[in-house]
Amino acid sequence: MKISLNGQLVGKEQAVVSVFDHGLLYGDGVFEGIRVYGGKVFLLKDHIDRLYESAKAIRLEIPISSAAMIQATKDTVAANGIGDGYVRLVVTRGAGSLGLDIRRTSHPQIIIIADTITLYPAEIYENGMNLITASTIRNHPAACPARIKSLNYLNNILAKIEGTDAGTVEALMLNHKGEVAECTGDNIFILKNGVLKTPSPDAGILEGITRNAVLRLAREAGIPTQETTLIRHDLYVADEMFLTGTAAEVVPVVSLDGRKIGDGKPGPITRRLLELFHEFTRRVDA
Ligand code: PXG
């Protein structure tokens, strides 16, 4: 396996960063996770734009242009012969002395890993997923905003642990107002009376790239969409529910907190959107 480290393709053993890197010491950095379908990096420009926005939000200046980052990503995928897989881009703050001051750091580290991806079991796409609501709420937007895809994922990890303890592979997170936000690594959608609904970015969520693609595909298919405030009541009485994310793609949800959603089976519009999404990933220009 070849890893891209600061523009050089090196072997796994040579791909190392300092123990003084603030990415490790403080979770100070940003990342992206991107799918590769048929050797093409899916929605690469959208992911690179979000990476640079996340970096800007934490006052981290990425030392190369976004065009160079795009090229380095494609080169890393090609060097590893990845057909269908996954790319992880990481930019750390770089090494510095102990202490939070970013002025004491230098040389942000740019890491690109191209690998295969572990998927949810096929059974989940057929029969749907069970979810619980975590008691850990999503970060307050005035703390570290969820819009930033930062290396500090403890908020989500704490919620994920609650899910794992309860026997689910994902967990729903509410925001500081008690409204539905998103899951630990996926956005959430419901269908109610034929309308596709999902929380808007101001609910304090990561504005998922899969989410945006699914909203676009739904509109093109004539399904009305709404980005709106949702509370758990809306979820409990929904006709259908599903999650979206780079790793998950589109996953049906059939129960929340032990309550059956709709008739307890993946819904017809969810199945249709899943098909439309797969078709989209195969389009050459995607
Ligand atoms: N919400 C959160 C909190 C996420 O971390 C999504 C929603 C979905 O966003 P995208 O842009 O992927 O549709 C995410 C994405 C990983 C991994 O390796 C995590 C994500 C994506 C890819 C890989 O844990 N999270």
Side-chain angles (χ1 to χ4, degrees):
M1 179 188 275
K2 292 279 179 217
I3 314 286
S4 171
L5 179 65
N6 302 320
Q8 302 286 322
L9 282 167
V10 297
K12 213 172 173 177
E13 286 69 32
Q14 287 79 53
V16 291
V17 294
S18 165
V19 294
F20 288 99
D21 194 304
H22 282 208
L24 173 68
L25 290 175
Y26 302 113
D28 187 353
V30 293
F31 79 104
E32 278 297 323
I34 321 175
R35 280 285 196 129
V36 182
Y37 294 106
K40 290 198 67 131
V41 190
F42 185 60
L43 300 176
L44 178 56
K45 173 80 169 54
D46 294 359
H47 282 280
I48 297 292
D49 286 350
R50 189 169 68 184
L51 182 75
Y52 279 75
E53 276 190 13
S54 292
K56 190 171 186 186
I58 67 162
R59 304 268 298 268
L60 168 57
E61 212 169 300
I62 299 178
I64 62 170
S65 69
S66 61
M69 189 71 86
I70 286 174
Q71 196 53 51
T73 305
K74 290 180 177 170
D75 291 348
T76 310
V77 168
N80 287 283
I82 302 290
D84 289 326
Y86 175 74
V87 193
R88 165 66 60 96
L89 269 71
V90 181
V91 185
T92 73
R93 183 76 69 182
S97 52
L98 298 178
L100 303 182
D101 192 342
I102 62 170
R103 294 170 304 181
R104 298 213 194 135
T105 60
S106 61
H107 302 94
Q109 299 293 293
I110 302 175
I111 301 160
I112 308 174
I113 305 168
D115 204 349
T116 51
I117 183 165
T118 320
L119 306 171
Y120 285 134
E123 185 270 331
I124 277 184
Y125 294 87
E126 272 308 304
N127 302 325
M129 172 190 278
N130 301 312
L131 266 190
I132 55 120
T133 308
S135 64
T136 307
I137 62 163
R138 201 69 175 87
N139 279 339
H140 192 291
C144 184
R147 301 284 290 276
I148 301 171
K149 202 161 168 62
S150 84
L151 290 183
N152 208 312
Y153 251 57
L154 268 179
N155 178 226
N156 306 48
I157 290 167
L158 290 176
K160 176 111 181 176
I161 290 169
E162 292 186 52
T164 311
D165 285 349
T168 64
V169 293
E170 251 296 10
L172 173 68
M173 301 181 80
L174 307 177
N175 67 16
H176 63 290
K177 294 190 271 188
E179 300 159 353
V180 172
E182 61 179 335
C183 291
T184 67
D186 299 293
N187 292 110
I188 189 157
F189 286 78
I190 59 165
L191 280 134
K192 184 67 179 175
N193 299 328
V195 180
L196 182 65
K197 301 186 185 194
T198 195
S200 72
D202 58 24
I205 61 168
L206 184 78
E207 193 176 344
I209 286 163
T210 320
R211 168 195 183 275
N212 291 349
V214 165
L215 280 172
R216 206 165 50 235
L217 290 170
R219 286 182 200 124
E220 284 166 14
I223 300 165
T225 64
Q226 268 181 19
E227 295 178 62
T228 185
T229 303
L230 295 172
I231 60 171
R232 259 196 307 176
H233 170 80
D234 299 304
L235 269 50
Y236 290 147
V237 301
D239 302 323
E240 301 182 30
M241 190 184 298
F242 64 86
L243 309 182
T244 63
T246 290
E249 300 179 319
V250 177
V251 182
V253 178
V254 291
S255 85
L256 171 63
D257 302 328
R259 297 166 184 240
K260 205 191 268 189
I261 303 303
D263 64 1
K265 297 198 184 74
I269 301 178
T270 302
R271 285 186 183 282
R272 170 123 187 269
L273 286 168
L274 179 54
E275 264 170 42
L276 287 172
F277 185 78
H278 279 162
E279 205 177 278
F280 181 53
T281 64
R282 289 191 293 265
R283 265 187 241 159
V284 183
D285 62 350

Short mmCIF file of all heavy atoms in Angstrom, two decimals, residues 174-213:
data_model
loop_
_atom_site.label_atom_id
_atom_site.label_comp_id
_atom_site.label_asym_id
_atom_site.label_seq_id
_atom_site.Cartn_x
_atom_site.Cartn_y
_atom_site.Cartn_z
N LEU A 174 -29.67 14.18 18.95
CA LEU A 174 -30.50 15.39 18.93
C LEU A 174 -29.56 16.59 19.09
O LEU A 174 -28.39 16.43 19.45
CB LEU A 174 -31.52 15.34 20.07
CG LEU A 174 -32.39 14.07 20.11
CD1 LEU A 174 -33.32 14.09 21.32
CD2 LEU A 174 -33.21 13.92 18.82
N ASN A 175 -30.08 17.80 18.84
CA ASN A 175 -29.25 18.98 19.09
C ASN A 175 -29.56 19.57 20.46
O ASN A 175 -30.36 19.00 21.22
CB ASN A 175 -29.38 19.99 17.94
CG ASN A 175 -30.77 20.62 17.87
OD1 ASN A 175 -31.55 20.53 18.81
ND2 ASN A 175 -31.07 21.25 16.75
N HIS A 176 -28.95 20.69 20.78
CA HIS A 176 -29.11 21.29 22.11
C HIS A 176 -30.53 21.77 22.36
O HIS A 176 -30.90 22.03 23.50
CB HIS A 176 -28.13 22.45 22.28
CG HIS A 176 -28.39 23.57 21.31
ND1 HIS A 176 -28.15 23.46 19.95
CD2 HIS A 176 -28.91 24.80 21.49
CE1 HIS A 176 -28.50 24.56 19.36
NE2 HIS A 176 -28.96 25.41 20.26
N LYS A 177 -31.35 21.87 21.29
CA LYS A 177 -32.75 22.26 21.47
C LYS A 177 -33.67 21.04 21.55
O LYS A 177 -34.89 21.18 21.62
CB LYS A 177 -33.18 23.17 20.31
CG LYS A 177 -32.46 24.51 20.30
CD LYS A 177 -33.07 25.48 19.31
CE LYS A 177 -32.43 25.32 17.95
NZ LYS A 177 -32.84 26.36 16.99
N GLY A 178 -33.09 19.86 21.48
CA GLY A 178 -33.90 18.64 21.53
C GLY A 178 -34.46 18.25 20.17
O GLY A 178 -35.27 17.31 20.07
N GLU A 179 -34.02 18.96 19.11
CA GLU A 179 -34.49 18.61 17.76
C GLU A 179 -33.60 17.52 17.17
O GLU A 179 -32.46 17.34 17.60
CB GLU A 179 -34.40 19.84 16.85
CG GLU A 179 -35.22 21.02 17.32
CD GLU A 179 -34.75 22.34 16.74
OE1 GLU A 179 -33.69 22.37 16.06
OE2 GLU A 179 -35.42 23.36 17.00
N VAL A 180 -34.14 16.85 16.17
CA VAL A 180 -33.37 15.82 15.48
C VAL A 180 -32.21 16.48 14.73
O VAL A 180 -32.41 17.47 14.02
CB VAL A 180 -34.27 15.05 14.49
CG1 VAL A 180 -33.45 14.11 13.62
CG2 VAL A 180 -35.35 14.28 15.25
N ALA A 181 -31.01 15.95 14.92
CA ALA A 181 -29.85 16.47 14.19
C ALA A 181 -29.43 15.45 13.12
O ALA A 181 -29.83 15.58 11.96
CB ALA A 181 -28.72 16.79 15.15
N GLU A 182 -28.70 14.44 13.52
CA GLU A 182 -28.18 13.45 12.57
C GLU A 182 -27.68 12.26 13.36
O GLU A 182 -27.77 12.25 14.59
CB GLU A 182 -27.04 14.07 11.76
CG GLU A 182 -25.88 14.52 12.65
CD GLU A 182 -24.71 15.12 11.88
OE1 GLU A 182 -24.54 14.80 10.70
OE2 GLU A 182 -23.96 15.91 12.49
N CYS A 183 -27.15 11.26 12.66
CA CYS A 183 -26.56 10.13 13.36
C CYS A 183 -25.05 10.37 13.51
O CYS A 183 -24.54 11.41 13.10
CB CYS A 183 -26.87 8.84 12.63
SG CYS A 183 -28.62 8.42 12.75
N THR A 184 -24.33 9.41 14.10
CA THR A 184 -22.92 9.67 14.44
C THR A 184 -22.02 9.80 13.20
O THR A 184 -21.01 10.48 13.26
CB THR A 184 -22.36 8.56 15.35
OG1 THR A 184 -22.29 7.33 14.61
CG2 THR A 184 -23.23 8.35 16.58
N GLY A 185 -22.43 9.17 12.10
CA GLY A 185 -21.65 9.30 10.87
C GLY A 185 -22.54 9.32 9.63
O GLY A 185 -22.09 9.02 8.53
N ASP A 186 -23.80 9.65 9.83
CA ASP A 186 -24.78 9.62 8.74
C ASP A 186 -25.84 10.70 8.96
O ASP A 186 -26.17 11.01 10.10
CB ASP A 186 -25.52 8.27 8.70
CG ASP A 186 -24.58 7.10 8.47
OD1 ASP A 186 -24.01 7.03 7.37
OD2 ASP A 186 -24.41 6.27 9.38
N ASN A 187 -26.38 11.21 7.87
CA ASN A 187 -27.55 12.12 7.97
C ASN A 187 -28.83 11.31 7.95
O ASN A 187 -28.85 10.14 7.53
CB ASN A 187 -27.53 13.11 6.80
CG ASN A 187 -26.38 14.10 6.89
OD1 ASN A 187 -25.44 14.05 6.10
ND2 ASN A 187 -26.44 14.97 7.87
N ILE A 188 -29.92 11.92 8.42
CA ILE A 188 -31.18 11.20 8.55
C ILE A 188 -32.29 11.85 7.72
O ILE A 188 -32.36 13.08 7.61
CB ILE A 188 -31.59 11.06 10.04
CG1 ILE A 188 -32.79 10.12 10.19
CG2 ILE A 188 -31.87 12.42 10.68
CD1 ILE A 188 -32.90 9.49 11.56
N PHE A 189 -33.13 11.00 7.13
CA PHE A 189 -34.27 11.44 6.31
C PHE A 189 -35.51 10.67 6.74
O PHE A 189 -35.41 9.51 7.15
CB PHE A 189 -34.06 11.08 4.83
CG PHE A 189 -33.07 11.93 4.10
CD1 PHE A 189 -31.71 11.73 4.26
CD2 PHE A 189 -33.50 12.92 3.21
CE1 PHE A 189 -30.79 12.50 3.56
CE2 PHE A 189 -32.58 13.69 2.52
CZ PHE A 189 -31.23 13.49 2.70
N ILE A 190 -36.67 11.31 6.57
CA ILE A 190 -37.94 10.58 6.69
C ILE A 190 -38.82 10.89 5.49
O ILE A 190 -38.60 11.90 4.79
CB ILE A 190 -38.74 10.92 7.98
CG1 ILE A 190 -39.07 12.42 8.05
CG2 ILE A 190 -38.04 10.44 9.21
CD1 ILE A 190 -40.14 12.78 9.08
N LEU A 191 -39.80 10.03 5.27
CA LEU A 191 -40.87 10.31 4.31
C LEU A 191 -42.17 10.37 5.07
O LEU A 191 -42.44 9.51 5.93
CB LEU A 191 -40.93 9.24 3.23
CG LEU A 191 -39.87 9.50 2.18
CD1 LEU A 191 -39.13 8.28 1.83
CD2 LEU A 191 -40.47 10.23 0.98
N LYS A 192 -42.94 11.42 4.82
CA LYS A 192 -44.26 11.54 5.44
C LYS A 192 -45.22 12.04 4.37
O LYS A 192 -45.02 13.11 3.79
CB LYS A 192 -44.18 12.54 6.61
CG LYS A 192 -45.48 12.66 7.39
CD LYS A 192 -45.81 11.36 8.15
CE LYS A 192 -47.08 11.49 8.95
NZ LYS A 192 -47.47 10.21 9.58
N ASN A 193 -46.25 11.25 4.10
CA ASN A 193 -47.25 11.59 3.07
C ASN A 193 -46.59 11.98 1.75
O ASN A 193 -46.95 12.98 1.14
CB ASN A 193 -48.16 12.72 3.57
CG ASN A 193 -48.91 12.31 4.83
OD1 ASN A 193 -49.25 11.13 5.00
ND2 ASN A 193 -49.17 13.26 5.71
N GLY A 194 -45.57 11.23 1.37
CA GLY A 194 -44.92 11.44 0.06
C GLY A 194 -43.89 12.55 0.03
O GLY A 194 -43.26 12.78 -1.01
N VAL A 195 -43.69 13.26 1.16
CA VAL A 195 -42.71 14.35 1.19
C VAL A 195 -41.43 13.86 1.90
O VAL A 195 -41.51 13.25 2.98
CB VAL A 195 -43.26 15.60 1.93
CG1 VAL A 195 -42.23 16.72 1.95
CG2 VAL A 195 -44.57 16.06 1.29
N LEU A 196 -40.30 14.12 1.26
CA LEU A 196 -39.01 13.74 1.83
C LEU A 196 -38.51 14.87 2.72
O LEU A 196 -38.38 16.01 2.27
CB LEU A 196 -38.01 13.49 0.69
CG LEU A 196 -36.62 13.02 1.09
CD1 LEU A 196 -36.66 11.65 1.75
CD2 LEU A 196 -35.69 13.00 -0.11
N LYS A 197 -38.24 14.55 4.00
CA LYS A 197 -37.85 15.59 4.96
C LYS A 197 -36.53 15.24 5.63
O LYS A 197 -36.29 14.08 5.98
CB LYS A 197 -38.93 15.74 6.04
CG LYS A 197 -40.29 16.10 5.49
CD LYS A 197 -41.27 16.36 6.62
CE LYS A 197 -42.66 16.59 6.05
NZ LYS A 197 -43.57 17.18 7.04
N THR A 198 -35.71 16.28 5.85
CA THR A 198 -34.44 16.10 6.53
C THR A 198 -34.11 17.38 7.29
O THR A 198 -34.52 18.46 6.85
CB THR A 198 -33.33 15.71 5.51
OG1 THR A 198 -32.19 15.20 6.21
CG2 THR A 198 -32.91 16.87 4.63
N PRO A 199 -33.40 17.30 8.41
CA PRO A 199 -33.04 18.53 9.13
C PRO A 199 -32.21 19.47 8.26
O PRO A 199 -31.41 19.01 7.43
CB PRO A 199 -32.22 18.02 10.31
CG PRO A 199 -32.67 16.62 10.52
CD PRO A 199 -32.96 16.09 9.15
N SER A 200 -32.39 20.75 8.43
CA SER A 200 -31.60 21.71 7.66
C SER A 200 -30.25 21.90 8.36
O SER A 200 -30.11 21.57 9.55
CB SER A 200 -32.34 23.05 7.53
OG SER A 200 -32.36 23.70 8.75
N PRO A 201 -29.24 22.40 7.63
CA PRO A 201 -27.90 22.54 8.22
C PRO A 201 -27.91 23.33 9.53
O PRO A 201 -27.10 23.08 10.41
CB PRO A 201 -27.11 23.26 7.13
CG PRO A 201 -27.79 22.87 5.87
CD PRO A 201 -29.25 22.75 6.20
N ASP A 202 -28.87 24.26 9.70
CA ASP A 202 -28.85 25.04 10.94
C ASP A 202 -29.36 24.25 12.16
O ASP A 202 -29.39 24.78 13.27
CB ASP A 202 -29.53 26.41 10.78
CG ASP A 202 -30.98 26.31 10.34
OD1 ASP A 202 -31.57 25.24 10.58
OD2 ASP A 202 -31.50 27.29 9.76
N ALA A 203 -29.72 22.98 11.96
CA ALA A 203 -30.00 22.11 13.12
C ALA A 203 -28.69 21.70 13.81
O ALA A 203 -28.71 21.04 14.84
CB ALA A 203 -30.77 20.87 12.69
N GLY A 204 -27.55 22.10 13.21
CA GLY A 204 -26.25 21.76 13.81
C GLY A 204 -25.77 20.40 13.36
O GLY A 204 -25.46 19.53 14.18
N ILE A 205 -25.74 20.21 12.04
CA ILE A 205 -25.34 18.92 11.46
C ILE A 205 -24.20 19.11 10.48
O ILE A 205 -23.94 20.24 10.03
CB ILE A 205 -26.52 18.26 10.69
CG1 ILE A 205 -27.00 19.16 9.52
CG2 ILE A 205 -27.65 17.94 11.64
CD1 ILE A 205 -27.95 18.47 8.56
N LEU A 206 -23.55 18.01 10.15
CA LEU A 206 -22.63 18.04 9.02
C LEU A 206 -23.48 18.02 7.76
O LEU A 206 -24.37 17.17 7.63
CB LEU A 206 -21.70 16.83 9.04
CG LEU A 206 -20.66 16.86 7.92
CD1 LEU A 206 -19.51 17.81 8.26
CD2 LEU A 206 -20.10 15.47 7.64
N GLU A 207 -23.21 18.95 6.86
CA GLU A 207 -24.00 18.98 5.63
C GLU A 207 -23.44 17.92 4.70
O GLU A 207 -22.50 18.16 3.94
CB GLU A 207 -23.93 20.38 5.00
CG GLU A 207 -24.96 20.58 3.92
CD GLU A 207 -24.96 22.00 3.37
OE1 GLU A 207 -24.39 22.90 4.01
OE2 GLU A 207 -25.51 22.17 2.28
N GLY A 208 -23.99 16.73 4.80
CA GLY A 208 -23.44 15.57 4.11
C GLY A 208 -23.52 15.71 2.60
O GLY A 208 -24.49 16.22 2.05
N ILE A 209 -22.48 15.21 1.95
CA ILE A 209 -22.44 15.27 0.49
C ILE A 209 -23.39 14.23 -0.10
O ILE A 209 -24.04 14.48 -1.11
CB ILE A 209 -20.97 15.14 0.03
CG1 ILE A 209 -20.30 16.49 0.36
CG2 ILE A 209 -20.84 14.78 -1.44
CD1 ILE A 209 -18.81 16.48 0.38
N THR A 210 -23.52 13.09 0.57
CA THR A 210 -24.50 12.09 0.14
C THR A 210 -25.91 12.66 0.33
O THR A 210 -26.79 12.48 -0.52
CB THR A 210 -24.34 10.78 0.95
OG1 THR A 210 -22.96 10.52 1.12
CG2 THR A 210 -25.02 9.62 0.27
N ARG A 211 -26.12 13.32 1.47
CA ARG A 211 -27.41 13.99 1.75
C ARG A 211 -27.79 14.92 0.61
O ARG A 211 -28.91 14.86 0.09
CB ARG A 211 -27.26 14.78 3.06
CG ARG A 211 -28.39 15.75 3.38
CD ARG A 211 -27.92 16.71 4.49
NE ARG A 211 -28.97 17.62 4.91
CZ ARG A 211 -29.24 18.77 4.29
NH1 ARG A 211 -28.56 19.14 3.22
NH2 ARG A 211 -30.21 19.54 4.75
N ASN A 212 -26.85 15.78 0.23
CA ASN A 212 -27.16 16.75 -0.83
C ASN A 212 -27.43 16.05 -2.16
O ASN A 212 -28.32 16.47 -2.91
CB ASN A 212 -26.03 17.77 -0.96
CG ASN A 212 -25.96 18.69 0.26
OD1 ASN A 212 -26.87 18.69 1.11
ND2 ASN A 212 -24.90 19.46 0.37
N ALA A 213 -26.69 14.98 -2.43
CA ALA A 213 -26.90 14.24 -3.69
C ALA A 213 -28.29 13.60 -3.69
O ALA A 213 -29.01 13.63 -4.69
CB ALA A 213 -25.81 13.18 -3.86
#
